[in-house]
Amino acid sequence: MASQAFEISSIPQVVRLFARSLQPTSIADYVALVIAAVIVAGYLTRGTLWDKPDPYYHIYFERPQQRDGVASSQAQAQRNIAKKLSETDKRAVIFWGSQSGTAERFANYLAKEVQSRFGLGAISADLSDYDSDSIAQLSGGQLAIFILSTYGEGDPSDNANGFWDWINNGSPDALPDLQYAAFGLGNSNYKYYNRVVDVVVEALKKKGATLLLPVGKADDAERSTDEDFLSWKDDLFAMFRNRLGMEEQVVEYQPTIVVTEDDSLTPIDLHHGEPTHSRDNPKAAASCSPIRPLSITNPRELFQSSERNCVHMELDLAEHPEIHYKTGDHLAVWPTNPESEVEILLTVLRLQDRQDIPISLKSVDAATKLQIPTPTTIRALFYRYLEICAPVSRSTIQGLATFAPSPDARLRVLKLGQDKDSYLSYLRKNHLTLGRLLKLASPDEPWAKLPLSYLMEALPLMQPRYYSISSSSVLSPRRAAITALVASDYVPENQEQKINGVTSNYLLALSQSYPATAAAEMQAEKSVRPQYDLFGPTNLLQGTKLFAHVRKSKFKLPIQSSCPIIMVAAGTGIAPFRAFIAERAKLHAIGKPIGEMILFFGCRRPQEDFIYREELEQAQAAVGRDVFKIITAFSRVQGQDKVYVQQRVREHGKQVVNLIEEKSASFYICGRASMAREVGFSLGETMKEIKGWSDSEVKSWGEGLKRTGKWKEDVWG
């Protein structure tokens, strides 16, 4: 007790001694105390005296129609699809999940046609615009149609992510009254061909929904997407007639867009073709930088060939501090249509003298979103807003008959549009764009009665093309390089006609225009390519620039530089690996440990299209051949058998598997989807050989690696 009393009585003295030790004894102490007091005061007054919440912050995330004092309950009602159908007196909703715009185009077209043919009012609905729960409120007299694309590793489109989460969760038997049809868009070169529509249909079945006809599926690998959709649409309409008892009407063209010329508008009021991100998909927009005009530097030709081109160029980010990229990200290039195709279309429509007249656009149906900026001009439409070089579907050709300038022209388009064999035969011998088709059908008389609204409904919107960035953000943070193979193929049965890739040839034209470069001189010796408007809308691109933005990617190096990496690429698929290898070589140069690297690379001939060969060999010499191995496959060497990268992966399969299994290596594939599929198959065969696994065990192993991020693919087509 005495000891405890002593300790208690000593406390005030200890406190005094402690306080005395905290008293400032110098100017530095006083300064420190002032700084500490300011920090504490700032922390305590945050949100009251400073850094107050912006009461209008929410406006950045609202749609324009929600800004004018619309109540929360009304906003929620706008996201209820059942209420939307009731308010607009519609009986059908066509939901679309689209990554490139094709599913959206089909949905818009179908909504219009079911109205004109069957009098069935329909809404084309972006899945992200409506709460998925409200689908359960659709009544028995209403119909849902799902048009869903699959991309990547069997993933849904960005605008379908919310619906995807909902459809794969929730209670069973939640949709007993739902009647629906479904069509999927996919590519059989990919491992998970049309997985999204398959998963959705299976989930809807479990929830008690009724599928009215077999699921339709498009296969872009066969270039038959439009034909597949037309075939399924015929089955859908047969179901309308035979099962639902609907009467089909004579189809007359009913525009969904009203186009009005308005001379009172001045150039400053107009949209001249500047690309913008869609406001309808916040998640997709969040993964992208702003779109800016970026200056091109250091363009050069990579192929040692007089017949083919491969362009390397760097985009200068220095003028745009808001744009950043990380190694492995994508750069999206917004192209323009070639001048020759624009001129053909303007001529056949007799619009040369009206191309700069201001026009205003308005949706006939308030439920239909207008996708093209307004007001604008015909010039902007044809150069930058519409894909006028896109293949023309038979359904579009059939619709042209109504506006034919002569009976002969009408017969010509009907023959192509109604006869599938004639259509396919023509495609084998001719490059078919809308302008060329109109000129062929009526070489002497212009299509003066063809409304602009029809073109805007029939042609897809211009979309950006994505390129894997081939530079390292560590070594070149303010310059993003891209590597583009210039696409140019002959028509199958006509070697006098070429089909030129719009964007890659645009990049080639830009590289040729770059002043005083050896690349420009080299390019000039090659074959003549399409010409483009390189100055852009209101001369925004003057000085060798292009519109572009950066999109985030998950195709990244391992966090630990000591982790081994295995890279498989063919052609320009080497682009991101150029960045990976350069970054690892730099780490090695400054004394950081790096893991073993193996590059499998395939091309035609070592002396012609082995791009970045010198850089790769220099990196190999710098880090050592025991650390970095290059394994090549050449498919066009005279006197030798064709060899592809998947064969090399099979030959070295045990080494690859050992690195993955024993050293936790990361496995990467970049290139065409068909190549990636074959590489996966080769690696699977190795696993069967080593471990005696079944197909299901190999599949489970591969999917496990992908889930953990140890197997990554960046593939296309």
Side-chain angles (χ1 to χ4, degrees), residues 657 661 686-693 697:
V657 168
E661 291 287 279
T686 300
M687 291 302 294
K688 289 180 183 178
E689 179 183 310
I690 294 175
K691 305 212 171 190
W693 281 354
E697 289 173 314

Side-chain angles (χ1 to χ4, degrees), residues 114-126:
V114 297
Q115 171 73 46
S116 60
R117 282 183 178 270
F118 297 94
L120 178 65
I123 294 175
S124 174
D126 182 336

Side-chain angles (χ1 to χ4, degrees), residues 99 151-152 158 277 287-290 294 315 317 323-334 464-471 480-483 548-556 572-573 575-576 580 669-671 713-716:
Q99 196 69 17
Y151 85 106
D158 290 334
H277 288 304
S287 68
C288 298
S289 76
L294 303 181
L315 286 305
L317 309 181
I323 300 181
H324 303 274
Y325 80 96
K326 296 294 184 183
T327 304
D329 283 345
H330 300 135
L331 191 131
V333 173
W334 291 82
R465 275 61 164 185
Y466 291 94
Y467 294 88
S468 298
I469 295 178
S470 53
S471 57
I482 58 172
T483 309
H549 70 267
V550 171
R551 183 179 70 178
K552 296 177 184 177
S553 166
K554 296 180 180 178
F555 200 74
K556 303 296 184 186
T572 55
F580 285 9
I669 309 175
C670 187
E713 296 183 4
D714 188 359
V715 299
W716 59 85

Side-chain angles (χ1 to χ4, degrees), residues 300-349:
R300 68 179 189 267
E301 171 65 39
L302 297 178
F303 280 178
Q304 304 298 316
S305 167
S306 60
E307 298 177 353
R308 298 193 302 149
N309 296 88
C310 186
V311 174
H312 170 99
M313 62 174 57
E314 297 167 13
L315 286 305
D316 191 351
L317 309 181
E319 297 179 358
H320 304 283
E322 70 276 20
I323 300 181
H324 303 274
Y325 80 96
K326 296 294 184 183
T327 304
D329 283 345
H330 300 135
L331 191 131
V333 173
W334 291 82
T336 180
N337 288 307
E339 291 182 342
S340 58
E341 293 295 332
V342 174
E343 187 60 33
I344 291 173
L345 196 51
L346 288 171
T347 300
V348 297
L349 297 175

Side-chain angles (χ1 to χ4, degrees), residues 487-508:
S488 182
D489 296 318
Y490 288 103
V491 174
E493 297 179 14
N494 185 350
Q495 295 297 299
E496 295 182 0
Q497 285 196 34
K498 276 189 174 182
I499 303 176
N500 294 306
V502 172
T503 308
S504 59
N505 280 275
Y506 173 52
L507 293 174
L508 178 60

Side-chain angles (χ1 to χ4, degrees), residues 220-234:
D220 197 46
E222 300 295 329
R223 298 292 188 267
S224 62
T225 296
D226 282 274
E227 284 297 327
D228 295 333
F229 176 72
L230 287 177
S231 178
W232 173 80
K233 186 197 71 173
D234 289 342

Side-chain angles (χ1 to χ4, degrees), residues 235-255:
D235 294 340
L236 178 73
F237 289 174
M239 184 271 294
F240 283 174
R241 293 188 297 267
N242 302 329
R243 181 168 178 172
L244 302 183
M246 295 183 182
E247 293 186 7
E248 192 167 1
Q249 307 166 1
V250 176
V251 178
E252 294 184 1
Y253 174 67
Q254 297 177 347

Side-chain angles (χ1 to χ4, degrees), residues 581 585 612-624 628 630:
I581 293 162
Y612 302 122
R613 180 174 184 173
E614 291 183 6
E615 292 182 22
L616 294 171
E617 291 176 347
Q618 288 173 4
Q620 186 180 51
V623 304
F628 178 27
I630 302 173

